[in-house]
């Protein structure tokens, strides 16, 4: 897999139990195809590991305490907890429809406040975090310079960091910070905001610390893969790693940092702020086969920013029909080679375009020319089911 930190493709080498943490949704709206593409990517990792005989400990969070939830709940006159619960339930239904294997631990921020507080206490005790001098709102910040290796994950220079920090939830202009890049780990309660008691006063967790705490307490330091979209490279993954490394004293939180490209529509990244969303639940409502959504999203390489379109879906539907036709045959040409190639391509940084091509080749030939191997159609169907998560058996 390509590792963002080392900027190269290198082997993932898990032990008997492979470990992965993937950043989950912020549940204030329905799951769109960008989210889906990211979780499908890590679902392939999960499936490849299982196919190779590993036990997999997969952890995912839900950012169910955050500004977008409060804003949406306010707008709609709803309880933010109820909003988060409903959207999380819809997300899980969408993932189930797409046949994404569920994580072993699925943990909300609401459930992990105690863990966050413990982690912040350690950071404060070691001097890695400090309280700003503001009696009204004594927020706690993590020092960007707490670890000497800071910056290794993104590899960004200071200017690029400053840009992304400001764009992606950071607060460079907050008075009282020692460095504009210092990251919020505990936010003192503002009027009307949800709050929990803590040794640093009532408040709520910052964002990066949530993922640091949830991962650290379940799969520890040095786990195999930290995953998410490329929009999480900085500041989110840089800081969640830095928080964790600061308490463990180890230089590297995750062994691989894996980031997916952004799915776009009409030339722009699919995002709630742009409003150009295609929801998984909407497509399901229109009776689109989830297997076609899945194949459409897997038809491009996961690291590539790429566009969703009606054509992508139509091509996927056509492919699915061909594969199902082939899988329904009494017999076909032998398929051991095809299955071996499927495994090889997936093992090569999840090269799904080549994997799908190999299957197209087998299916086209099977349908056009047939063959005498009676086990081949079900062999392919089983492999496609297990490795790609697509059910083509009739
Ligand atoms: N709750 C945080 C992570 S801790 C969060 O980023 N939530 S999210 O709902 O905004 O995004 C969930 C996941 O979907 C993240 O990994 C994000 O990188 C990914 N994502 C968001 N938009 C897209 C997109 N257009 N294409 C691909 N992945 C996307
Ligand atoms: Zn996260």
């Amino acid at each position: 897999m390509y590792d963002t930190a080392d900027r190269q493709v290198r082997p993932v080498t898990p032990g008997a139990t492979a470990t992965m943490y993937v950043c989950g949704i912020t549940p204030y709206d329905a799951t769109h195809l960008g989210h889906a593409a990211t979780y499908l990517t890590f679902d392939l990792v999960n499936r490849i590991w299982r196919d190779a005989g590993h036990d997999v400990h997969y952890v995912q969070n839900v950012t169910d305490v955050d500004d977008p939830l409060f804003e949406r709940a306010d707008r709609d006159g709803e309880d933010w907890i109820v909003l988060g619960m409903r959207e999380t339930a819809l997300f899980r239904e969408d993932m189930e429809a797409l046949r994404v294997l569920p994580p072993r631990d699925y943990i909300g921020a609401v459930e992990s406040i105690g863990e966050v507080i413990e982690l912040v206490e350690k950071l404060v005790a070691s001097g890695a975090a400090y309280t700003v001098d503001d009696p009204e709102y004594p927020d706690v910040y993590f020092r960007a310079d707490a670890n000497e290796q800071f910056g290794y994950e993104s590899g960004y220079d200071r200017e690029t960091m400053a840009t992304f920090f400001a764009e992606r939830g950071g607060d460079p202009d907050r008075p009282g910070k020692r460095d504009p890049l210092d990251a919020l780990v505990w936010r003192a309660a503002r009027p009307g905001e949800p709050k929990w008691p803590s040794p640093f006063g009532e408040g709520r967790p910052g964002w990066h610390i949530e993922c640091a705490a949830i991962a650290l307490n379940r799969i520890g330091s040095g786990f195999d893969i930290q995953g998410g979209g490329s929009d999480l490279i900085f500041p989110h993954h840089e800081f969640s790693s830095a928080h964790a490394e600061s308490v463990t004293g180890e230089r590297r939180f995750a062994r691989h940092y894996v980031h997916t490209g952004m799915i776009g529509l009409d030339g722009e990244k699919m995002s709630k702020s742009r409003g150009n969303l295609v929801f998984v639940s909407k497509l399901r409502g229109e009776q689109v086969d989830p297997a076609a959504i899945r194949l459409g999203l897997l038809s491009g390489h996961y690291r590539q920013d790429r566009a969703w379109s009606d054509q992508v879906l139509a091509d996927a539907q056509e492919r699915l029909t061909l594969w199902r036709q082939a899988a329904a045959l009494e017999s076909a040409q032998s398929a051991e080679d095809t299955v071996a190639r499927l495994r090889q391509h997936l093992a090569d940084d999840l090269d799904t375009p080549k994997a799908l091509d190999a299957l197209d080749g087998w299916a086209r030939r099977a349908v056009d020319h047939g063959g005498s191997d009676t086990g081949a159609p079900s062999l392919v169907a089983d492999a496609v089911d297990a490795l790609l998560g697509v059910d083509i058996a009739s």
Side-chain angles (χ1 to χ4, degrees):
M1 296 290 289
Y2 184 87
D3 172 41
T4 302
D6 289 355
R7 285 177 279 291
Q8 59 173 316
V9 175
R10 51 176 186 73
V12 179
T13 53
T17 300
T19 45
M20 173 161 73
Y21 182 90
V22 176
C23 283
I25 54 158
T26 305
Y28 69 97
D29 205 344
T31 313
H32 60 63
L33 290 177
H35 302 134
T38 290
Y39 298 111
L40 283 174
T41 299
F42 296 101
D43 187 53
L44 294 186
V45 174
N46 191 352
R47 287 168 180 276
I48 290 167
W49 276 340
R50 285 163 186 264
D51 179 55
H54 294 279
D55 184 27
V56 180
H57 192 161
Y58 176 11
V59 183
Q60 194 180 122
N61 71 309
V62 194
T63 309
D64 54 7
V65 181
D66 205 2
D67 297 323
L69 269 107
F70 310 149
E71 285 159 17
R72 179 64 62 97
D74 266 357
R75 190 196 79 179
D76 298 347
E78 185 176 24
D79 184 335
W80 63 273
I81 290 265
V82 175
L83 169 67
M85 287 166 76
R86 189 182 60 242
E87 295 302 344
T88 301
L90 181 59
F91 169 74
R92 296 176 74 149
E93 235 177 66
D94 287 341
M95 291 301 108
E96 193 182 338
L98 291 173
R99 298 179 95 227
V100 171
L101 304 174
R104 182 180 299 178
D105 295 315
Y106 191 53
I107 311 290
V110 172
E111 306 166 73
S112 53
I113 305 281
E115 299 177 35
V116 167
I117 292 172
E118 256 176 53
L119 193 49
V120 176
E121 278 186 293
K122 287 184 189 160
L123 294 174
V124 170
S126 73
Y130 61 92
T131 303
V132 289
D133 187 12
D134 175 350
E136 196 181 9
Y137 300 127
D139 301 326
V140 184
Y141 281 88
F142 174 84
R143 302 173 66 115
D145 66 358
N147 313 322
E148 80 181 348
Q149 70 273 21
F150 183 78
Y152 77 87
E153 183 266 343
S154 64
Y156 294 161
D157 59 23
R158 179 116 190 148
E159 199 186 325
T160 311
M161 286 184 184
T163 307
F164 284 131
F165 190 82
E167 281 175 13
R168 298 173 181 167
D171 52 358
D173 302 324
R174 162 74 162 116
K177 282 168 64 167
R178 299 185 190 179
D179 179 329
L181 283 185
D182 289 354
L184 180 73
V185 288
W186 186 259
R187 176 175 160 91
R190 290 355 184 223
E193 286 184 5
K195 57 187 184 209
W196 288 263
S198 87
F200 346 97
E202 292 189 318
R204 61 180 161 106
W207 174 29
H208 321 307
I209 194 84
E210 169 193 338
C211 289
I214 293 174
L216 208 47
N217 289 330
R218 286 163 188 80
I219 45 177
S221 178
F223 57 88
D224 294 301
I225 290 184
Q226 158 74 296
S230 58
D231 56 344
L232 299 186
I233 293 173
F234 192 91
H236 187 53
H237 287 169
E238 195 79 74
F239 275 104
S240 52
S241 301
H243 297 338
E245 288 156 17
S246 198
V247 299
T248 62
E250 281 165 30
R251 290 188 70 92
R252 201 168 157 134
F253 188 34
R255 290 161 64 172
H256 260 79
Y257 295 91
V258 175
H259 293 102
T260 57
M262 291 291 113
I263 299 295
L265 186 74
D266 307 327
E268 291 217 73
K269 173 190 162 186
M270 206 176 273
S271 71
K272 286 161 192 168
S273 48
R274 288 188 180 85
N276 58 341
L277 305 177
V278 180
F279 295 115
V280 175
S281 44
K282 179 98 192 323
L283 292 177
R284 285 169 55 215
E286 291 162 3
Q287 311 294 307
V288 174
D289 187 338
I293 303 175
R294 191 164 171 122
L295 277 185
L297 289 172
L298 295 180
S299 66
H301 190 254
Y302 80 93
R303 281 201 281 128
Q304 214 70 53
D305 289 343
R306 54 205 197 277
W308 178 260
S309 65
D310 292 344
Q311 192 57 49
V312 170
L313 180 59
D315 290 347
Q317 255 148 358
E318 195 179 318
R319 168 174 270 150
L320 191 59
T321 304
L322 173 68
W323 290 9
R324 284 185 172 152
Q325 252 179 309
L329 295 169
E330 292 287 313
S331 65
Q333 80 280 20
S334 77
E336 275 86 5
D337 224 43
T338 305
V339 171
R341 281 169 61 206
L342 170 61
R343 284 203 174 94
Q344 256 165 30
H345 291 314
L346 288 177
D348 181 14
D349 197 27
L350 304 183
D351 194 340
T352 52
K354 281 202 185 133
L356 301 194
D357 265 0
L359 289 159
D360 285 345
W362 178 85
R364 170 69 30 226
R365 227 185 108 201
V367 168
D368 291 349
H369 305 289
S372 59
D373 186 339
T374 52
S378 63
L379 178 68
V380 170
D382 285 349
V384 167
D385 183 353
L387 286 159
L388 295 178
V390 176
D391 183 7
I392 56 170
S394 36

